Amino acid sequence: MIKNTCDILCELCADCLVITVSGEIDHHGAVYMRQMADEAIRSYSPERLVLDMSGVSFMDSSGLGFIMGRFALMRELGGATLVRDPAPCVERVLKLTGFDKRVKIVKNHKTEKEHERQRI
Amino acid sequence: MNVKEYKKRSGRPPLAEITNEIKLSFPSLSANESFARAAVAAFISQLDPTPTELADIKCVLSEAVTNCIVHAYRDCIGDVKITVRLRADRSVCIEVKDNGVGIENVEEARQPLFTTGAAEERSGMGFTVIESFCDKVKIKSRLGRGTSVTMTKRLSSKPKAGAHT
């Protein structure tokens, strides 16, 4: 088995499933990521799915397929999907293909959290 | 060997001066996608591209190689051949060639969202990404014979020594 260039981590907090994707997303890694993500989505059926893509170092159109596929699955299950803190390479592909208008994107999640911490 | 000698020996047409060239060939295994990106990126770094230019080139190369693996050699493993040429005018020319099934209708394949691989969750955006990240794209295909995709991207003029872009 050849190692994957991408990593995936699924965490459940309240009614929200956070899937953190990092590394390089290509056709090779997307197969494994899809399996892992769908397993988590189906077993928790969360109300909201957050795809954290801040740690992605490379993404091609396979990543678009991954995002849109999860988006479709969540819609089927009656939930919403959002992409959190897309890395510059992710944002560029999303923008150039017009996919940024199809999925909800939230930015500066981490800095907000830090601000909160500082306030406390 | 200088450029003049190189041209004489390789017999290449004097389009623009070719300053350097590599050829890569590997079997159409998906694990080689990241290898192809890394190898071509390392070669292109000779032209000192900006991080965005390098990311764009890695992206279009990944799309073209994935097309060979997913479509051209759908039910078999075949050779993917890549030629990268660096030209004196700072343009990078990448040719990705296969001897696979070929594309029935190239115009249709170039349309955004067009895919024959819906079951495998392909986004149908491969050629769209290539076209938006490159200056020139040429696709030649013959059914049953194979496809070649030639992508040209001109890099921005060389930054001054010591400048960070």
Side-chain angles (χ1 to χ4, degrees), chain A residues 60-61 93 96-97, chain B residues 56-68 94 96 109-110 125-139 149-153:
Chain A
D60 64 12
S61 71
V93 176
L96 269 166
T97 52
Chain B
D56 286 359
I57 288 169
K58 277 165 82 174
C59 199
V60 298
L61 181 84
S62 200
E63 300 293 352
V65 171
T66 304
N67 276 347
C68 298
I94 305 174
V96 180
R110 286 178 101 136
M125 297 304 279
F127 277 134
T128 311
V129 168
I130 292 178
E131 277 167 359
S132 33
F133 283 12
C134 286
D135 297 318
K136 214 168 95 188
V137 183
K138 206 167 80 189
I139 305 169
V149 177
T150 310
M151 306 168 284
T152 312
K153 186 177 175 72

PDB file of all heavy atoms in Angstrom, chain A residues 60-61 93 96-97, chain B residues 56-68 94 96 109-110 125-139 149-153:
ATOM      1  N   ASP A  60      -6.654  19.889  -6.744  1.00  0.00           N
ATOM      2  CA  ASP A  60      -7.084  20.032  -8.138  1.00  0.00           C
ATOM      3  C   ASP A  60      -8.590  19.765  -8.195  1.00  0.00           C
ATOM      4  O   ASP A  60      -9.255  19.794  -7.167  1.00  0.00           O
ATOM      5  CB  ASP A  60      -6.267  19.124  -9.063  1.00  0.00           C
ATOM      6  CG  ASP A  60      -6.460  17.648  -8.768  1.00  0.00           C
ATOM      7  OD1 ASP A  60      -7.380  17.301  -8.010  1.00  0.00           O
ATOM      8  OD2 ASP A  60      -5.677  16.831  -9.303  1.00  0.00           O
ATOM      9  N   SER A  61      -9.113  19.493  -9.390  1.00  0.00           N
ATOM     10  CA  SER A  61     -10.567  19.363  -9.497  1.00  0.00           C
ATOM     11  C   SER A  61     -11.112  18.137  -8.756  1.00  0.00           C
ATOM     12  O   SER A  61     -12.309  18.045  -8.520  1.00  0.00           O
ATOM     13  CB  SER A  61     -10.995  19.338 -10.960  1.00  0.00           C
ATOM     14  OG  SER A  61     -10.610  18.127 -11.561  1.00  0.00           O
ATOM     15  N   VAL A  93      -8.906  27.640  -6.794  1.00  0.00           N
ATOM     16  CA  VAL A  93      -9.630  26.683  -7.631  1.00  0.00           C
ATOM     17  C   VAL A  93     -11.144  26.897  -7.492  1.00  0.00           C
ATOM     18  O   VAL A  93     -11.872  26.889  -8.484  1.00  0.00           O
ATOM     19  CB  VAL A  93      -9.241  25.227  -7.274  1.00  0.00           C
ATOM     20  CG1 VAL A  93     -10.065  24.235  -8.067  1.00  0.00           C
ATOM     21  CG2 VAL A  93      -7.756  24.987  -7.528  1.00  0.00           C
ATOM     22  N   LEU A  96     -12.016  30.251  -9.459  1.00  0.00           N
ATOM     23  CA  LEU A  96     -11.887  30.183 -10.917  1.00  0.00           C
ATOM     24  C   LEU A  96     -12.934  29.306 -11.573  1.00  0.00           C
ATOM     25  O   LEU A  96     -13.248  29.475 -12.741  1.00  0.00           O
ATOM     26  CB  LEU A  96     -10.486  29.683 -11.286  1.00  0.00           C
ATOM     27  CG  LEU A  96      -9.488  30.812 -11.460  1.00  0.00           C
ATOM     28  CD1 LEU A  96      -8.078  30.280 -11.472  1.00  0.00           C
ATOM     29  CD2 LEU A  96      -9.758  31.567 -12.754  1.00  0.00           C
ATOM     30  N   THR A  97     -13.478  28.356 -10.828  1.00  0.00           N
ATOM     31  CA  THR A  97     -14.472  27.464 -11.404  1.00  0.00           C
ATOM     32  C   THR A  97     -15.888  27.888 -11.026  1.00  0.00           C
ATOM     33  O   THR A  97     -16.850  27.264 -11.431  1.00  0.00           O
ATOM     34  CB  THR A  97     -14.246  26.015 -10.932  1.00  0.00           C
ATOM     35  OG1 THR A  97     -14.154  26.018  -9.503  1.00  0.00           O
ATOM     36  CG2 THR A  97     -12.964  25.446 -11.488  1.00  0.00           C
TER      37      THR A  97
ATOM     38  N   ASP B  56      -0.214  26.844  -9.899  1.00  0.00           N
ATOM     39  CA  ASP B  56      -1.056  26.705 -11.095  1.00  0.00           C
ATOM     40  C   ASP B  56      -0.552  25.589 -11.995  1.00  0.00           C
ATOM     41  O   ASP B  56      -1.325  24.775 -12.492  1.00  0.00           O
ATOM     42  CB  ASP B  56      -1.056  28.017 -11.904  1.00  0.00           C
ATOM     43  CG  ASP B  56      -1.884  29.101 -11.226  1.00  0.00           C
ATOM     44  OD1 ASP B  56      -2.460  28.817 -10.162  1.00  0.00           O
ATOM     45  OD2 ASP B  56      -1.932  30.222 -11.774  1.00  0.00           O
ATOM     46  N   ILE B  57       0.775  25.552 -12.199  1.00  0.00           N
ATOM     47  CA  ILE B  57       1.358  24.536 -13.075  1.00  0.00           C
ATOM     48  C   ILE B  57       1.165  23.139 -12.481  1.00  0.00           C
ATOM     49  O   ILE B  57       0.800  22.195 -13.162  1.00  0.00           O
ATOM     50  CB  ILE B  57       2.848  24.842 -13.354  1.00  0.00           C
ATOM     51  CG1 ILE B  57       2.936  26.060 -14.282  1.00  0.00           C
ATOM     52  CG2 ILE B  57       3.561  23.651 -13.969  1.00  0.00           C
ATOM     53  CD1 ILE B  57       4.300  26.648 -14.454  1.00  0.00           C
ATOM     54  N   LYS B  58       1.353  23.018 -11.165  1.00  0.00           N
ATOM     55  CA  LYS B  58       1.137  21.729 -10.509  1.00  0.00           C
ATOM     56  C   LYS B  58      -0.311  21.287 -10.684  1.00  0.00           C
ATOM     57  O   LYS B  58      -0.608  20.121 -10.899  1.00  0.00           O
ATOM     58  CB  LYS B  58       1.466  21.835  -9.013  1.00  0.00           C
ATOM     59  CG  LYS B  58       2.944  21.680  -8.726  1.00  0.00           C
ATOM     60  CD  LYS B  58       3.306  22.139  -7.353  1.00  0.00           C
ATOM     61  CE  LYS B  58       3.051  21.114  -6.286  1.00  0.00           C
ATOM     62  NZ  LYS B  58       3.561  21.562  -4.971  1.00  0.00           N
ATOM     63  N   CYS B  59      -1.214  22.249 -10.604  1.00  0.00           N
ATOM     64  CA  CYS B  59      -2.642  21.953 -10.702  1.00  0.00           C
ATOM     65  C   CYS B  59      -3.018  21.452 -12.103  1.00  0.00           C
ATOM     66  O   CYS B  59      -3.668  20.428 -12.245  1.00  0.00           O
ATOM     67  CB  CYS B  59      -3.433  23.201 -10.332  1.00  0.00           C
ATOM     68  SG  CYS B  59      -5.112  22.849  -9.895  1.00  0.00           S
ATOM     69  N   VAL B  60      -2.570  22.178 -13.147  1.00  0.00           N
ATOM     70  CA  VAL B  60      -2.940  21.760 -14.505  1.00  0.00           C
ATOM     71  C   VAL B  60      -2.288  20.424 -14.871  1.00  0.00           C
ATOM     72  O   VAL B  60      -2.895  19.598 -15.548  1.00  0.00           O
ATOM     73  CB  VAL B  60      -2.602  22.824 -15.579  1.00  0.00           C
ATOM     74  CG1 VAL B  60      -3.364  24.090 -15.317  1.00  0.00           C
ATOM     75  CG2 VAL B  60      -1.125  23.097 -15.678  1.00  0.00           C
ATOM     76  N   LEU B  61      -1.079  20.202 -14.392  1.00  0.00           N
ATOM     77  CA  LEU B  61      -0.402  18.940 -14.660  1.00  0.00           C
ATOM     78  C   LEU B  61      -1.178  17.790 -14.013  1.00  0.00           C
ATOM     79  O   LEU B  61      -1.402  16.745 -14.614  1.00  0.00           O
ATOM     80  CB  LEU B  61       1.029  18.977 -14.117  1.00  0.00           C
ATOM     81  CG  LEU B  61       1.774  17.691 -14.407  1.00  0.00           C
ATOM     82  CD1 LEU B  61       2.353  17.727 -15.798  1.00  0.00           C
ATOM     83  CD2 LEU B  61       2.821  17.403 -13.388  1.00  0.00           C
ATOM     84  N   SER B  62      -1.605  18.032 -12.782  1.00  0.00           N
ATOM     85  CA  SER B  62      -2.379  17.032 -12.055  1.00  0.00           C
ATOM     86  C   SER B  62      -3.669  16.687 -12.802  1.00  0.00           C
ATOM     87  O   SER B  62      -4.043  15.520 -12.897  1.00  0.00           O
ATOM     88  CB  SER B  62      -2.697  17.573 -10.660  1.00  0.00           C
ATOM     89  OG  SER B  62      -3.027  16.540  -9.791  1.00  0.00           O
ATOM     90  N   GLU B  63      -4.329  17.701 -13.357  1.00  0.00           N
ATOM     91  CA  GLU B  63      -5.568  17.468 -14.111  1.00  0.00           C
ATOM     92  C   GLU B  63      -5.299  16.593 -15.336  1.00  0.00           C
ATOM     93  O   GLU B  63      -6.020  15.640 -15.604  1.00  0.00           O
ATOM     94  CB  GLU B  63      -6.177  18.794 -14.592  1.00  0.00           C
ATOM     95  CG  GLU B  63      -6.539  19.783 -13.506  1.00  0.00           C
ATOM     96  CD  GLU B  63      -7.669  19.318 -12.616  1.00  0.00           C
ATOM     97  OE1 GLU B  63      -8.289  18.278 -12.909  1.00  0.00           O
ATOM     98  OE2 GLU B  63      -7.927  19.991 -11.612  1.00  0.00           O
ATOM     99  N   ALA B  64      -4.245  16.943 -16.085  1.00  0.00           N
ATOM    100  CA  ALA B  64      -3.951  16.214 -17.320  1.00  0.00           C
ATOM    101  C   ALA B  64      -3.548  14.770 -17.033  1.00  0.00           C
ATOM    102  O   ALA B  64      -3.981  13.847 -17.727  1.00  0.00           O
ATOM    103  CB  ALA B  64      -2.851  16.935 -18.095  1.00  0.00           C
ATOM    104  N   VAL B  65      -2.736  14.574 -15.988  1.00  0.00           N
ATOM    105  CA  VAL B  65      -2.302  13.221 -15.639  1.00  0.00           C
ATOM    106  C   VAL B  65      -3.498  12.400 -15.132  1.00  0.00           C
ATOM    107  O   VAL B  65      -3.660  11.229 -15.483  1.00  0.00           O
ATOM    108  CB  VAL B  65      -1.158  13.266 -14.595  1.00  0.00           C
ATOM    109  CG1 VAL B  65      -0.850  11.879 -14.066  1.00  0.00           C
ATOM    110  CG2 VAL B  65       0.094  13.873 -15.200  1.00  0.00           C
ATOM    111  N   THR B  66      -4.350  13.033 -14.331  1.00  0.00           N
ATOM    112  CA  THR B  66      -5.540  12.338 -13.825  1.00  0.00           C
ATOM    113  C   THR B  66      -6.433  11.915 -14.988  1.00  0.00           C
ATOM    114  O   THR B  66      -6.992  10.821 -14.979  1.00  0.00           O
ATOM    115  CB  THR B  66      -6.320  13.236 -12.841  1.00  0.00           C
ATOM    116  OG1 THR B  66      -5.439  13.632 -11.793  1.00  0.00           O
ATOM    117  CG2 THR B  66      -7.496  12.494 -12.230  1.00  0.00           C
ATOM    118  N   ASN B  67      -6.563  12.773 -16.003  1.00  0.00           N
ATOM    119  CA  ASN B  67      -7.359  12.416 -17.185  1.00  0.00           C
ATOM    120  C   ASN B  67      -6.840  11.139 -17.835  1.00  0.00           C
ATOM    121  O   ASN B  67      -7.620  10.283 -18.235  1.00  0.00           O
ATOM    122  CB  ASN B  67      -7.319  13.549 -18.213  1.00  0.00           C
ATOM    123  CG  ASN B  67      -8.346  14.625 -17.901  1.00  0.00           C
ATOM    124  OD1 ASN B  67      -9.231  14.436 -17.081  1.00  0.00           O
ATOM    125  ND2 ASN B  67      -8.212  15.754 -18.567  1.00  0.00           N
ATOM    126  N   CYS B  68      -5.512  11.012 -17.937  1.00  0.00           N
ATOM    127  CA  CYS B  68      -4.926   9.796 -18.526  1.00  0.00           C
ATOM    128  C   CYS B  68      -5.297   8.567 -17.704  1.00  0.00           C
ATOM    129  O   CYS B  68      -5.666   7.532 -18.245  1.00  0.00           O
ATOM    130  CB  CYS B  68      -3.404   9.886 -18.565  1.00  0.00           C
ATOM    131  SG  CYS B  68      -2.772  11.209 -19.572  1.00  0.00           S
ATOM    132  N   ILE B  94       4.089  22.225 -21.448  1.00  0.00           N
ATOM    133  CA  ILE B  94       3.976  20.862 -20.918  1.00  0.00           C
ATOM    134  C   ILE B  94       3.072  20.043 -21.830  1.00  0.00           C
ATOM    135  O   ILE B  94       1.937  20.446 -22.096  1.00  0.00           O
ATOM    136  CB  ILE B  94       3.380  20.866 -19.486  1.00  0.00           C
ATOM    137  CG1 ILE B  94       4.205  21.766 -18.564  1.00  0.00           C
ATOM    138  CG2 ILE B  94       3.298  19.457 -18.926  1.00  0.00           C
ATOM    139  CD1 ILE B  94       3.598  21.917 -17.184  1.00  0.00           C
ATOM    140  N   VAL B  96       1.299  16.358 -22.199  1.00  0.00           N
ATOM    141  CA  VAL B  96       0.949  15.105 -21.517  1.00  0.00           C
ATOM    142  C   VAL B  96       0.270  14.208 -22.550  1.00  0.00           C
ATOM    143  O   VAL B  96      -0.734  14.590 -23.150  1.00  0.00           O
ATOM    144  CB  VAL B  96       0.012  15.354 -20.310  1.00  0.00           C
ATOM    145  CG1 VAL B  96      -0.344  14.041 -19.630  1.00  0.00           C
ATOM    146  CG2 VAL B  96       0.663  16.294 -19.306  1.00  0.00           C
ATOM    147  N   ALA B 109     -15.891  17.602 -24.381  1.00  0.00           N
ATOM    148  CA  ALA B 109     -15.087  17.311 -23.194  1.00  0.00           C
ATOM    149  C   ALA B 109     -14.578  18.586 -22.536  1.00  0.00           C
ATOM    150  O   ALA B 109     -14.336  18.625 -21.328  1.00  0.00           O
ATOM    151  CB  ALA B 109     -13.906  16.414 -23.575  1.00  0.00           C
ATOM    152  N   ARG B 110     -14.407  19.639 -23.336  1.00  0.00           N
ATOM    153  CA  ARG B 110     -13.899  20.900 -22.791  1.00  0.00           C
ATOM    154  C   ARG B 110     -14.955  21.682 -22.040  1.00  0.00           C
ATOM    155  O   ARG B 110     -14.631  22.625 -21.318  1.00  0.00           O
ATOM    156  CB  ARG B 110     -13.360  21.776 -23.934  1.00  0.00           C
ATOM    157  CG  ARG B 110     -12.039  21.303 -24.491  1.00  0.00           C
ATOM    158  CD  ARG B 110     -11.600  22.169 -25.638  1.00  0.00           C
ATOM    159  NE  ARG B 110     -10.588  23.117 -25.212  1.00  0.00           N
ATOM    160  CZ  ARG B 110      -9.470  23.386 -25.909  1.00  0.00           C
ATOM    161  NH1 ARG B 110      -9.241  22.800 -27.036  1.00  0.00           N
ATOM    162  NH2 ARG B 110      -8.607  24.250 -25.475  1.00  0.00           N
ATOM    163  N   MET B 125     -14.570  19.294 -14.131  1.00  0.00           N
ATOM    164  CA  MET B 125     -13.959  20.617 -14.235  1.00  0.00           C
ATOM    165  C   MET B 125     -12.493  20.561 -14.647  1.00  0.00           C
ATOM    166  O   MET B 125     -11.823  21.583 -14.663  1.00  0.00           O
ATOM    167  CB  MET B 125     -14.079  21.356 -12.896  1.00  0.00           C
ATOM    168  CG  MET B 125     -15.496  21.646 -12.457  1.00  0.00           C
ATOM    169  SD  MET B 125     -16.438  22.565 -13.665  1.00  0.00           S
ATOM    170  CE  MET B 125     -15.869  24.212 -13.317  1.00  0.00           C
ATOM    171  N   GLY B 126     -11.991  19.396 -14.984  1.00  0.00           N
ATOM    172  CA  GLY B 126     -10.580  19.237 -15.309  1.00  0.00           C
ATOM    173  C   GLY B 126     -10.087  20.177 -16.394  1.00  0.00           C
ATOM    174  O   GLY B 126      -9.182  20.980 -16.172  1.00  0.00           O
ATOM    175  N   PHE B 127     -10.706  20.140 -17.586  1.00  0.00           N
ATOM    176  CA  PHE B 127     -10.278  20.991 -18.690  1.00  0.00           C
ATOM    177  C   PHE B 127     -10.540  22.461 -18.390  1.00  0.00           C
ATOM    178  O   PHE B 127      -9.804  23.339 -18.843  1.00  0.00           O
ATOM    179  CB  PHE B 127     -10.967  20.574 -20.001  1.00  0.00           C
ATOM    180  CG  PHE B 127     -10.274  19.428 -20.689  1.00  0.00           C
ATOM    181  CD1 PHE B 127     -10.992  18.353 -21.180  1.00  0.00           C
ATOM    182  CD2 PHE B 127      -8.894  19.436 -20.848  1.00  0.00           C
ATOM    183  CE1 PHE B 127     -10.358  17.289 -21.810  1.00  0.00           C
ATOM    184  CE2 PHE B 127      -8.249  18.381 -21.476  1.00  0.00           C
ATOM    185  CZ  PHE B 127      -8.980  17.304 -21.953  1.00  0.00           C
ATOM    186  N   THR B 128     -11.604  22.732 -17.628  1.00  0.00           N
ATOM    187  CA  THR B 128     -11.908  24.121 -17.263  1.00  0.00           C
ATOM    188  C   THR B 128     -10.778  24.694 -16.409  1.00  0.00           C
ATOM    189  O   THR B 128     -10.347  25.826 -16.624  1.00  0.00           O
ATOM    190  CB  THR B 128     -13.237  24.195 -16.492  1.00  0.00           C
ATOM    191  OG1 THR B 128     -14.213  23.454 -17.208  1.00  0.00           O
ATOM    192  CG2 THR B 128     -13.701  25.618 -16.318  1.00  0.00           C
ATOM    193  N   VAL B 129     -10.304  23.893 -15.463  1.00  0.00           N
ATOM    194  CA  VAL B 129      -9.187  24.329 -14.620  1.00  0.00           C
ATOM    195  C   VAL B 129      -7.946  24.549 -15.489  1.00  0.00           C
ATOM    196  O   VAL B 129      -7.286  25.579 -15.395  1.00  0.00           O
ATOM    197  CB  VAL B 129      -8.906  23.296 -13.498  1.00  0.00           C
ATOM    198  CG1 VAL B 129      -7.584  23.583 -12.808  1.00  0.00           C
ATOM    199  CG2 VAL B 129     -10.039  23.287 -12.476  1.00  0.00           C
ATOM    200  N   ILE B 130      -7.663  23.610 -16.398  1.00  0.00           N
ATOM    201  CA  ILE B 130      -6.495  23.738 -17.277  1.00  0.00           C
ATOM    202  C   ILE B 130      -6.593  25.031 -18.090  1.00  0.00           C
ATOM    203  O   ILE B 130      -5.652  25.807 -18.175  1.00  0.00           O
ATOM    204  CB  ILE B 130      -6.380  22.519 -18.224  1.00  0.00           C
ATOM    205  CG1 ILE B 130      -6.039  21.259 -17.426  1.00  0.00           C
ATOM    206  CG2 ILE B 130      -5.328  22.763 -19.305  1.00  0.00           C
ATOM    207  CD1 ILE B 130      -5.953  19.986 -18.232  1.00  0.00           C
ATOM    208  N   GLU B 131      -7.770  25.269 -18.670  1.00  0.00           N
ATOM    209  CA  GLU B 131      -7.923  26.446 -19.525  1.00  0.00           C
ATOM    210  C   GLU B 131      -7.840  27.756 -18.750  1.00  0.00           C
ATOM    211  O   GLU B 131      -7.340  28.752 -19.262  1.00  0.00           O
ATOM    212  CB  GLU B 131      -9.235  26.363 -20.304  1.00  0.00           C
ATOM    213  CG  GLU B 131      -9.043  25.498 -21.536  1.00  0.00           C
ATOM    214  CD  GLU B 131     -10.327  25.089 -22.201  1.00  0.00           C
ATOM    215  OE1 GLU B 131     -11.409  25.456 -21.706  1.00  0.00           O
ATOM    216  OE2 GLU B 131     -10.254  24.390 -23.221  1.00  0.00           O
ATOM    217  N   SER B 132      -8.309  27.754 -17.508  1.00  0.00           N
ATOM    218  CA  SER B 132      -8.244  29.028 -16.785  1.00  0.00           C
ATOM    219  C   SER B 132      -6.865  29.292 -16.177  1.00  0.00           C
ATOM    220  O   SER B 132      -6.535  30.424 -15.895  1.00  0.00           O
ATOM    221  CB  SER B 132      -9.348  29.137 -15.731  1.00  0.00           C
ATOM    222  OG  SER B 132      -9.672  27.916 -15.179  1.00  0.00           O
ATOM    223  N   PHE B 133      -6.051  28.255 -15.998  1.00  0.00           N
ATOM    224  CA  PHE B 133      -4.733  28.444 -15.398  1.00  0.00           C
ATOM    225  C   PHE B 133      -3.611  28.586 -16.428  1.00  0.00           C
ATOM    226  O   PHE B 133      -2.494  28.928 -16.085  1.00  0.00           O
ATOM    227  CB  PHE B 133      -4.390  27.284 -14.448  1.00  0.00           C
ATOM    228  CG  PHE B 133      -5.085  27.355 -13.112  1.00  0.00           C
ATOM    229  CD1 PHE B 133      -6.124  28.241 -12.887  1.00  0.00           C
ATOM    230  CD2 PHE B 133      -4.686  26.547 -12.066  1.00  0.00           C
ATOM    231  CE1 PHE B 133      -6.765  28.305 -11.650  1.00  0.00           C
ATOM    232  CE2 PHE B 133      -5.322  26.598 -10.820  1.00  0.00           C
ATOM    233  CZ  PHE B 133      -6.360  27.479 -10.626  1.00  0.00           C
ATOM    234  N   CYS B 134      -3.906  28.281 -17.715  1.00  0.00           N
ATOM    235  CA  CYS B 134      -2.866  28.332 -18.739  1.00  0.00           C
ATOM    236  C   CYS B 134      -3.157  29.427 -19.754  1.00  0.00           C
ATOM    237  O   CYS B 134      -4.272  29.883 -19.885  1.00  0.00           O
ATOM    238  CB  CYS B 134      -2.803  27.007 -19.491  1.00  0.00           C
ATOM    239  SG  CYS B 134      -2.073  25.716 -18.531  1.00  0.00           S
ATOM    240  N   ASP B 135      -2.117  29.815 -20.518  1.00  0.00           N
ATOM    241  CA  ASP B 135      -2.316  30.813 -21.564  1.00  0.00           C
ATOM    242  C   ASP B 135      -2.817  30.162 -22.851  1.00  0.00           C
ATOM    243  O   ASP B 135      -3.562  30.759 -23.603  1.00  0.00           O
ATOM    244  CB  ASP B 135      -1.001  31.548 -21.831  1.00  0.00           C
ATOM    245  CG  ASP B 135      -0.549  32.318 -20.597  1.00  0.00           C
ATOM    246  OD1 ASP B 135      -1.417  32.931 -19.952  1.00  0.00           O
ATOM    247  OD2 ASP B 135       0.645  32.283 -20.259  1.00  0.00           O
ATOM    248  N   LYS B 136      -2.355  28.937 -23.106  1.00  0.00           N
ATOM    249  CA  LYS B 136      -2.718  28.268 -24.354  1.00  0.00           C
ATOM    250  C   LYS B 136      -2.870  26.774 -24.090  1.00  0.00           C
ATOM    251  O   LYS B 136      -2.033  26.182 -23.403  1.00  0.00           O
ATOM    252  CB  LYS B 136      -1.601  28.503 -25.377  1.00  0.00           C
ATOM    253  CG  LYS B 136      -2.095  28.630 -26.805  1.00  0.00           C
ATOM    254  CD  LYS B 136      -1.005  29.152 -27.700  1.00  0.00           C
ATOM    255  CE  LYS B 136      -0.272  28.010 -28.370  1.00  0.00           C
ATOM    256  NZ  LYS B 136       0.912  28.472 -29.112  1.00  0.00           N
ATOM    257  N   VAL B 137      -3.933  26.192 -24.621  1.00  0.00           N
ATOM    258  CA  VAL B 137      -4.151  24.756 -24.438  1.00  0.00           C
ATOM    259  C   VAL B 137      -4.496  24.140 -25.793  1.00  0.00           C
ATOM    260  O   VAL B 137      -5.346  24.658 -26.513  1.00  0.00           O
ATOM    261  CB  VAL B 137      -5.326  24.475 -23.457  1.00  0.00           C
ATOM    262  CG1 VAL B 137      -5.483  22.981 -23.234  1.00  0.00           C
ATOM    263  CG2 VAL B 137      -5.121  25.179 -22.138  1.00  0.00           C
ATOM    264  N   LYS B 138      -3.793  23.065 -26.134  1.00  0.00           N
ATOM    265  CA  LYS B 138      -4.076  22.393 -27.400  1.00  0.00           C
ATOM    266  C   LYS B 138      -4.380  20.931 -27.085  1.00  0.00           C
ATOM    267  O   LYS B 138      -3.606  20.276 -26.387  1.00  0.00           O
ATOM    268  CB  LYS B 138      -2.841  22.502 -28.307  1.00  0.00           C
ATOM    269  CG  LYS B 138      -3.176  22.435 -29.777  1.00  0.00           C
ATOM    270  CD  LYS B 138      -1.992  22.861 -30.623  1.00  0.00           C
ATOM    271  CE  LYS B 138      -0.991  21.733 -30.759  1.00  0.00           C
ATOM    272  NZ  LYS B 138       0.270  22.176 -31.382  1.00  0.00           N
ATOM    273  N   ILE B 139      -5.505  20.447 -27.572  1.00  0.00           N
ATOM    274  CA  ILE B 139      -5.864  19.050 -27.322  1.00  0.00           C
ATOM    275  C   ILE B 139      -5.972  18.333 -28.659  1.00  0.00           C
ATOM    276  O   ILE B 139      -6.703  18.773 -29.547  1.00  0.00           O
ATOM    277  CB  ILE B 139      -7.202  18.936 -26.558  1.00  0.00           C
ATOM    278  CG1 ILE B 139      -7.151  19.746 -25.261  1.00  0.00           C
ATOM    279  CG2 ILE B 139      -7.527  17.474 -26.259  1.00  0.00           C
ATOM    280  CD1 ILE B 139      -8.496  19.915 -24.588  1.00  0.00           C
ATOM    281  N   VAL B 149      -2.293  16.500 -24.699  1.00  0.00           N
ATOM    282  CA  VAL B 149      -2.716  17.807 -24.230  1.00  0.00           C
ATOM    283  C   VAL B 149      -1.455  18.652 -24.075  1.00  0.00           C
ATOM    284  O   VAL B 149      -0.527  18.262 -23.371  1.00  0.00           O
ATOM    285  CB  VAL B 149      -3.454  17.688 -22.869  1.00  0.00           C
ATOM    286  CG1 VAL B 149      -3.846  19.061 -22.341  1.00  0.00           C
ATOM    287  CG2 VAL B 149      -4.685  16.811 -22.997  1.00  0.00           C
ATOM    288  N   THR B 150      -1.403  19.777 -24.774  1.00  0.00           N
ATOM    289  CA  THR B 150      -0.234  20.656 -24.686  1.00  0.00           C
ATOM    290  C   THR B 150      -0.648  21.961 -24.035  1.00  0.00           C
ATOM    291  O   THR B 150      -1.553  22.647 -24.507  1.00  0.00           O
ATOM    292  CB  THR B 150       0.355  20.922 -26.085  1.00  0.00           C
ATOM    293  OG1 THR B 150       0.513  19.672 -26.741  1.00  0.00           O
ATOM    294  CG2 THR B 150       1.699  21.617 -25.981  1.00  0.00           C
ATOM    295  N   MET B 151      -0.013  22.261 -22.918  1.00  0.00           N
ATOM    296  CA  MET B 151      -0.387  23.436 -22.135  1.00  0.00           C
ATOM    297  C   MET B 151       0.796  24.393 -22.065  1.00  0.00           C
ATOM    298  O   MET B 151       1.911  23.983 -21.757  1.00  0.00           O
ATOM    299  CB  MET B 151      -0.774  23.012 -20.725  1.00  0.00           C
ATOM    300  CG  MET B 151      -1.847  21.930 -20.712  1.00  0.00           C
ATOM    301  SD  MET B 151      -2.094  21.157 -19.113  1.00  0.00           S
ATOM    302  CE  MET B 151      -0.673  20.093 -19.002  1.00  0.00           C
ATOM    303  N   THR B 152       0.561  25.652 -22.372  1.00  0.00           N
ATOM    304  CA  THR B 152       1.633  26.640 -22.313  1.00  0.00           C
ATOM    305  C   THR B 152       1.266  27.743 -21.337  1.00  0.00           C
ATOM    306  O   THR B 152       0.147  28.252 -21.355  1.00  0.00           O
ATOM    307  CB  THR B 152       1.886  27.240 -23.709  1.00  0.00           C
ATOM    308  OG1 THR B 152       1.988  26.180 -24.645  1.00  0.00           O
ATOM    309  CG2 THR B 152       3.154  28.065 -23.736  1.00  0.00           C
ATOM    310  N   LYS B 153       2.210  28.048 -20.497  1.00  0.00           N
ATOM    311  CA  LYS B 153       2.000  29.150 -19.557  1.00  0.00           C
ATOM    312  C   LYS B 153       3.245  30.018 -19.551  1.00  0.00           C
ATOM    313  O   LYS B 153       4.358  29.516 -19.425  1.00  0.00           O
ATOM    314  CB  LYS B 153       1.725  28.621 -18.155  1.00  0.00           C
ATOM    315  CG  LYS B 153       1.353  29.732 -17.172  1.00  0.00           C
ATOM    316  CD  LYS B 153       1.021  29.150 -15.813  1.00  0.00           C
ATOM    317  CE  LYS B 153       0.754  30.219 -14.776  1.00  0.00           C
ATOM    318  NZ  LYS B 153      -0.513  30.916 -14.954  1.00  0.00           N
TER     319      LYS B 153
END
